[in-house]
Amino acid sequence: MDNNQDRESTEPVQSNSRWGRATSDAGDDRREALSELAASYYYCVYAWWRRSGREAEAAATATLAFFDRWLSESPPQRTDSGVERMRTWLLERLAELSGETLETPVEPPLALDPAWAEARYADEPPGEADAIFQRRWALTVLEFTVATMRAEYTARGEEALFPELVPFAGYDSGEEDRYLGAADRTGLTVGAMHKEVFDFRHRQRELLLYFAGDTLLDPAEATSEITALLCACDAPGPEAATARLPTEIANVHPDEMLARAMQSVRMTGGGAAGWHPPTVAEAARLFPQYEVSALLGRGGMGAVYRGRQVELDRPVAIKLLPLEVSVDRDFADRFRREARAMARLQHPNIIDVYDFGTTSEGHLFFVMEYVEGTNLDALIRGPGLAPAQALQIVSSVCEALAYAHAEGVVHRDIKPANVMVSTKGKVKVADFGLAQLSDATAEQLGHTVTGTVMGTPDYMAPEQKRGMHVDHRADIYSLGVMLYEMLCREVPQGIFDPPSHRVA
């Protein structure tokens, strides 16, 4: 498979849609845009003439005459009624010409194959002319989308993968058996298949918005246009749902495909319960330069594996982030910035970051120092801590935070689970920078990643709970809560006694 950078598609720039150029006064550019649009959408016009009562030959003549007049005598103007959307402009102009006798132009403006058009028209469901036109318009946009994607996969040498992805065009999450079957047939891991489906759906949405926006004066209204196309699929009536579709989109459900384009593309519902981290064997394949031996833990913001860096013969911990957040481009950019900041933090009480990047399946990851021991949460809930031990640990955490704050880094998720204590009593603070990343995740993906997004409520400063901007003082507040828990074995809530009243 190609790597992430090769697979990444550039979102088409729509500063000037084809319909916008077609209604401008830009000479050759206008003529070119008009010709391209005529060649793309002529069958919608043919279907309208046929359903309006004209026989096949007369409908073909009227279609050619209409576009000849459009391209030469009466091109669209910005002042025309319905000009904001090409489909509404066409319908109004067709209605104006419906009573005229039209003749085939001497030099037809486009190539129209009457036999092909009539064969396709035979599959149209019952319905009024305008409704058939609107349905056909929606299906044309879908055809362009699927045909473009097929060509892109073929150009990448992935033509065998494409038919496995098409059934996912309108499918939502939660159909794990489909992922398992597709992964088995393609030889990919289930995680890789999730990534392929996500990329497919992301590109599908991108192209649908592009093709819809290309027929609007203002491409920014593409989302509302998709809504109109969704309604248009069923406009002719109930029989439209079972009518035959063109070969290019024969295996998709138009309404599902369009509905997916109106919402953000997600891989699962998010959170620890919605993400299945790779097995140890799958993780080992993702990191050939490491020996991966065990899954140490998992949560909403990732899974941690124990490994060994073969070349340097040193133990490491590998944190793998879920695909749900990894494939978000804005999040990935921010992850790399934060990872660089984390890697620059060199302090004896902060876990070192050795490496970071993206796996072949698309997971973001970073490799860090492995601490042989346990975390502070396990110590509190297990044997507990003597006051002297608690103060010694807090002193080390204070040293780490003072250093990080001086470097301009705020942790924002200080809690016992993020403090490691080695078997030799060495204290290390983990996950610097990830709390800031998970704040961005909640906003970008529209849902909460269980466990870490926006911090952990029991330890959060009041301003952080309210979603306000926080600085180093939020870490100090969290540290105070953690110290109380270390001494009293519970977090302070409501009205509580000071530790001096509870601990000898």
Side-chain angles (χ1 to χ4, degrees):
M1 303 298 295
D2 295 338
N3 61 34
N4 250 16
Q5 187 174 0
D6 292 336
R7 294 292 307 278
E8 187 172 288
S9 60
T10 302
E11 186 167 353
V13 176
Q14 289 197 334
S15 57
N16 192 10
S17 66
R18 276 197 299 176
W19 183 241
R21 301 198 328 262
T23 58
S24 69
D25 297 319
D28 292 342
D29 188 44
R30 180 185 197 184
R31 176 82 182 185
E32 180 182 2
L34 285 169
S35 298
E36 290 172 353
L37 290 170
S40 298
Y41 291 94
Y42 77 89
Y43 175 72
C44 301
V45 173
Y46 176 87
W48 188 91
W49 285 117
R50 281 292 280 121
R51 192 52 55 91
S52 296
R54 303 205 182 196
E55 296 300 322
E57 184 177 347
T61 296
T63 300
L64 294 174
F66 173 74
F67 281 111
D68 180 61
R69 185 174 300 189
W70 177 22
L71 291 170
S72 56
E73 302 173 19
S74 305
Q77 305 293 325
R78 291 289 176 97
T79 55
D80 291 344
S81 174
V83 76
E84 291 80 9
R85 283 165 162 73
M86 178 181 167
R87 59 182 172 80
T88 57
W89 185 90
L90 282 175
L91 281 174
E92 291 194 20
R93 304 295 85 76
L94 286 168
E96 292 171 1
L97 294 178
S98 61
E100 292 191 23
T101 300
L102 301 173
E103 297 181 358
T104 303
V106 176
E107 296 183 9
L110 53 87
L112 192 158
D113 183 346
W116 175 89
E118 190 58 23
R120 174 166 287 205
Y121 180 73
D123 294 329
E124 298 292 356
E128 298 298 321
D130 284 8
I132 292 297
F133 175 96
Q134 299 277 19
R135 175 179 181 271
R136 180 48 54 185
W137 189 276
L139 297 184
T140 300
V141 170
L142 293 179
E143 284 188 272
F144 291 162
T145 298
V146 175
T148 299
M149 293 180 71
R150 184 188 299 278
E152 290 176 349
Y153 276 80
T154 300
R156 291 198 297 263
E158 297 176 349
E159 57 269 26
L161 177 61
F162 184 77
E164 293 289 345
L165 296 173
V166 170
F168 289 93
Y171 243 82
D172 209 343
S173 59
E175 298 295 328
E176 200 62 26
D177 57 329
R178 287 182 165 252
Y179 287 97
L180 288 169
D184 182 62
R185 289 188 295 273
T186 57
L188 299 173
T189 65
V190 176
M193 184 51 63
H194 273 276
K195 175 63 166 55
E196 292 294 342
V197 170
F198 183 93
D199 285 346
F200 178 87
R201 287 171 167 170
H202 182 88
R203 183 58 174 159
Q204 168 190 306
R205 170 181 167 82
E206 194 175 63
L207 287 171
L208 276 171
L209 291 172
Y210 173 70
F211 287 124
D214 210 27
T215 64
L216 308 175
L217 280 186
D218 183 4
E221 296 183 5
T223 300
S224 64
E225 181 70 358
I226 293 290
T227 305
L229 297 182
L230 177 62
C231 297
C233 288
D234 298 325
E239 294 185 54
T242 57
R244 289 183 58 186
L245 298 173
T247 303
E248 195 67 63
I249 57 173
N251 296 321
V252 305
H253 297 284
D255 54 343
E256 290 184 7
M257 188 172 173
L258 289 164
R260 174 165 288 283
M262 294 189 297
Q263 55 188 324
S264 61
V265 182
R266 298 181 187 170
M267 299 188 64
T268 74
W275 178 55
H276 302 283
T279 65
V280 171
E282 289 175 334
R285 290 198 295 272
L286 294 176
F287 298 98
Q289 69 274 42
Y290 298 95
E291 290 180 356
V292 181
S293 57
L295 176 63
L296 297 176
R298 55 167 292 185
M301 276 298 285
V304 180
Y305 300 84
R306 180 175 181 174
R308 184 177 72 89
Q309 191 173 10
V310 177
E311 289 294 324
L312 298 178
D313 191 26
R314 66 178 175 184
V316 295
I318 303 170
K319 185 151 191 173
L320 198 67
L321 275 63
L323 285 171
E324 285 89 336
V325 297
S326 298
V327 294
D328 184 273
R329 294 177 188 172
D330 292 337
F331 179 86
D333 289 343
R334 187 168 180 177
F335 168 84
R336 294 183 182 95
R337 291 196 300 270
E338 295 291 346
R340 292 188 185 98
M342 293 160 64
R344 287 197 298 268
L345 296 179
Q346 301 293 317
H347 190 275
N349 297 119
I350 295 177
I351 288 182
D352 289 332
V353 173
Y354 298 147
D355 191 18
F356 66 91
T358 309
T359 71
S360 58
E361 289 188 2
H363 304 84
L364 295 170
F365 74 89
F366 60 91
V367 180
M368 55 190 170
E369 171 189 3
Y370 175 75
V371 178
E372 185 73 53
T374 188
N375 63 42
L376 185 54
D377 184 66
L379 289 177
I380 294 172
R381 299 181 187 283
L385 298 165
Q389 290 178 292
L391 293 175
Q392 183 180 10
I393 291 173
V394 163
S395 176
S396 296
V397 176
C398 284
E399 293 284 347
L401 291 177
Y403 167 79
H405 294 164
E407 294 294 315
V409 177
V410 180
H411 192 291
R412 298 206 295 185
D413 198 21
I414 291 295
K415 59 183 178 182
N418 281 337
V419 177
M420 300 296 298
V421 181
S422 75
T423 53
K424 297 181 180 179
K426 189 69 175 177
V427 176
K428 297 271 189 176
V429 180
D431 280 1
F432 267 95
L434 282 186
Q436 299 182 56
L437 286 170
S438 51
D439 268 0
T441 306
E443 181 179 349
Q444 292 162 5
L445 299 188
H447 63 285
T448 298
V449 179
T450 303
T452 56
V453 169
M454 302 300 291
T456 305
D458 284 344
Y459 304 90
M460 287 166 59
E463 66 272 21
Q464 191 173 358
K465 287 183 179 180
R466 292 195 294 267
M468 299 170 61
H469 174 74
V470 299
D471 56 24
H472 65 284
R473 291 171 292 185
D475 283 349
I476 298 172
Y477 179 96
S478 301
L479 184 62
V481 175
M482 189 175 74
L483 175 57
Y484 187 98
E485 185 180 12
M486 293 165 67
L487 294 169
C488 303
R489 304 188 73 166
E490 64 181 38
V491 295
Q493 292 180 335
I495 299 174
F496 54 88
D497 290 329
S500 60
H501 289 182
R502 302 185 55 178
V503 182

